Amino acid sequence: MKPKIYLIDVTNRDGVQTSRICLSKLQKTMLNLYLDKMGVFQSEFGFPVTNHETNYLNANLELAEKKIFARLRLGGWLRATVDDVQTAFKLAPKLKNVNLSISTSDQMIMHKFKGKLDHKSIIKEMTEAVKKAKKLGAEAVGVNAEDASRTRMEYLIEFSSAAKEAGADRIRYCDTLGCDTPFTIYDRINQLVQKIKMPLEIHCHNDLGLVVANSISGAKAANDAGYDAYINTCVNGMGERAGNADLVSVILAIKYGSGFKEQYVLDEKIDLKVAWKLCKYASYAFGVPIPINQPGIGANAFAHESGIHADGALKDRRNYELYDLEELGRGEPEIVETGRKITAGEYSGIKGFRNVYEKLEVVFKDEKEAAEILELVRYANVHNQKPLVEEELIFIAQNPKIAKKIFTMSP
């Protein structure tokens, strides 16, 4: 059976580390719901040792337990230390998937740890953390080699082999500074996987504008060596500095890129029809506009003005369009109301609130239930600091107890 390429979206972990922006816990939850509908394999949904994440993480694990996430796995990011692992499983006992991260390059060992750790002690810390995670109930453990792209290959192989022996299920090759090229990352990952013989995650950054090319090249290298690949993505390419690999661009590259389509196998659960709604919601939640030229999703992705191009596209869209707009969930008109509109906010009253939900075809069994949901919607508006979208209003009505937990933080 051919090895596959899976997607692990890290928007709710690395995306939210983007400087100057943030997401509310409700917005992170909604992104997980969209990712689930899109068929993404896993969401790195947060930091289990960070106290303000605790209620959100446990609420989302509850959604997974109730099968409200039909397919999506939830993974937590931790430092590769026994203390972090113990704290994580104490705060989020139902956690099943974790990635344990530690730096592996000489640069970081010498100039980040400043003598606190050396090459041997890094492997020792990491292996002890892996064993502890497995002992505490982790079903899947990924080990992150931070700055793998600048790590000496012989040490990267030693580190990864030790992780495998300790019980790790995957190694995450992190191009932390975005310094790899499609050529170097292919050679390094192919060599690494042939030596360690286990699945590999590819985590790339866009500092040189090569993030999607590097990501699919790394996946190709792992597949060519006979093992599954897991590409880390962020919705709309969010992420630290210049960002991470854009989720939709990665999918399109695998499905339509020359040398990829029909030769490499993308996780069959992926449903691109969710892309339009997912990306528009993420843009709204982050408060960051989608670039006009963003692949598949940008306003100009299917726009033609030049006479020759317009003529060709009208004759047959395949003349100037590589994939169909309908495949991405585009094509339906967006309705903008120009008359009276009643909205639900932090100061809403019961009549206006019920009008909003009636339009969404949500019926409450009695006044008491309506009043309880109204109170939650008020809190949600304060929580988000912006008007709620329809999907958020519906989620709150359908999952009031879980929503209440998401809105709650205990300092």
Side-chain angles (χ1 to χ4, degrees):
M1 190 168 68
K2 271 189 171 185
K4 291 184 181 179
I5 300 173
Y6 297 90
L7 301 176
I8 295 179
D9 191 82
V10 298
T11 307
N12 282 332
R13 196 279 299 176
D14 209 346
V16 296
Q17 289 178 206
T18 306
S19 182
R20 301 184 178 91
I21 64 166
C22 63
L23 292 175
S24 75
K25 307 309 180 195
L26 175 59
Q27 289 165 341
K28 292 180 77 169
T29 302
M30 296 306 299
L31 282 178
N32 286 333
L33 287 165
Y34 278 115
L35 292 169
D36 176 61
K37 289 177 183 174
M38 197 164 178
V40 169
F41 175 76
Q42 182 169 309
S43 169
E44 193 159 80
F45 72 143
F47 301 87
V49 299
T50 303
N51 289 328
H52 67 73
E53 293 265 78
T54 301
N55 287 345
Y56 150 75
L57 295 173
N58 285 317
N60 275 253
L61 290 167
E62 191 176 336
L63 290 171
E65 198 171 47
K66 289 175 177 285
K67 306 297 182 186
I68 292 168
F69 296 136
R71 297 170 287 197
L72 185 72
R73 302 196 332 176
L74 301 172
W77 186 98
L78 314 170
R79 292 174 300 180
T81 68
V82 169
D83 285 348
D84 264 26
V85 171
Q86 288 176 324
T87 301
F89 281 89
K90 180 182 176 183
L91 295 175
K94 294 179 181 177
L95 195 61
K96 296 297 180 188
N97 307 288
V98 293
N99 269 70
L100 311 179
S101 186
I102 197 164
S103 308
T104 55
S105 67
D106 291 346
Q107 165 69 31
M108 295 228 177
I109 292 171
M110 293 169 63
H111 301 288
K112 177 180 168 184
F113 293 129
K114 298 283 188 180
K116 291 180 182 177
L117 292 171
D118 59 18
H119 293 78
K120 282 189 176 180
S121 56
I122 279 173
I123 290 177
K124 183 173 183 292
E125 285 243 324
M126 176 272 294
T127 54
E128 288 177 353
V130 171
K131 290 174 184 175
K132 178 60 73 172
K134 286 285 189 175
K135 186 176 180 181
L136 292 176
E139 294 175 359
V141 176
V143 168
N144 303 357
E146 187 190 21
D147 209 15
S149 49
R150 296 192 298 174
T151 300
R152 288 180 291 109
M153 183 53 70
E154 59 270 24
Y155 181 67
L156 189 57
I157 292 168
E158 181 187 355
F159 173 88
S160 302
S161 300
K164 180 182 179 181
E165 189 176 338
D169 299 277
R170 299 188 302 272
I171 298 297
R172 178 180 285 178
Y173 178 103
C174 300
D175 183 21
T176 304
L177 268 71
C179 61
D180 257 325
T181 69
F183 316 105
T184 57
I185 199 168
Y186 180 91
D187 290 342
R188 287 173 63 79
I189 286 179
N190 189 258
Q191 183 182 344
L192 177 62
V193 174
Q194 288 196 47
K195 290 285 186 182
I196 63 173
K197 301 190 183 306
M198 66 188 299
L200 202 85
E201 281 188 51
I202 300 98
H203 181 94
C204 297
H205 283 264
N206 203 32
D207 299 75
L208 298 177
L210 295 171
V211 68
V212 173
N214 285 343
S215 296
I216 66 168
S217 182
K220 172 178 161 64
N223 280 185
D224 287 351
Y227 287 86
D228 289 337
Y230 297 79
I231 296 178
N232 288 181
T233 63
C234 280
V235 182
N236 296 343
M238 303 303 293
E240 292 181 279
R241 304 186 311 279
N244 295 74
D246 170 46
L247 171 63
V248 172
S249 298
V250 166
I251 295 170
L252 291 172
I254 295 168
K255 289 191 69 162
Y256 294 102
S258 296
F260 258 87
K261 59 181 180 179
E262 299 170 0
Q263 295 182 44
Y264 292 86
V265 183
L266 178 66
D267 182 0
E268 63 279 355
K269 296 185 183 71
I270 292 295
D271 182 4
L272 258 181
K273 284 190 180 296
V274 183
W276 177 250
K277 283 189 175 180
L278 167 64
C279 295
K280 294 283 280 188
Y281 177 78
S283 172
Y284 177 72
F286 275 118
V288 178
I290 295 172
I292 195 171
N293 59 343
Q294 182 159 312
I297 299 298
N300 274 6
F302 296 95
H304 307 279
E305 185 172 309
S306 161
I308 293 173
H309 281 238
D311 177 68
L314 289 168
K315 286 174 178 171
D316 184 337
R317 67 167 81 183
R318 283 285 172 268
N319 286 326
Y320 286 102
E321 293 176 5
L322 183 60
Y323 38 80
D324 294 330
L325 58 92
E326 293 87 355
E327 186 181 0
L328 290 115
R330 301 184 67 161
E332 293 297 320
E334 290 189 334
I335 299 170
V336 178
E337 294 190 27
T338 59
R340 179 186 301 113
K341 186 171 179 65
I342 307 296
T343 60
E346 58 189 294
Y347 302 109
S348 287
I350 192 70
K351 285 190 177 178
F353 164 78
R354 293 198 75 146
N355 176 267
V356 169
Y357 270 96
E358 281 167 10
K359 287 185 176 179
L360 297 176
E361 299 182 353
V362 174
V363 179
F364 301 110
K365 61 184 179 184
D366 52 35
E367 287 295 317
K368 184 185 176 198
E369 184 185 48
E372 287 172 353
I373 301 301
L374 169 58
E375 190 70 3
L376 286 173
V377 167
R378 286 170 170 167
Y379 272 97
N381 275 272
V382 175
H383 181 77
N384 276 10
Q385 287 294 291
K386 60 176 65 180
L388 302 185
V389 301
E390 289 183 0
E391 287 85 354
E392 289 169 329
L393 290 165
I394 292 169
F395 172 78
I396 293 165
Q398 292 176 342
N399 305 279
K401 289 182 180 178
I402 293 176
K404 184 175 181 180
K405 188 180 290 187
I406 290 167
F407 304 150
T408 307
M409 284 183 275
S410 305

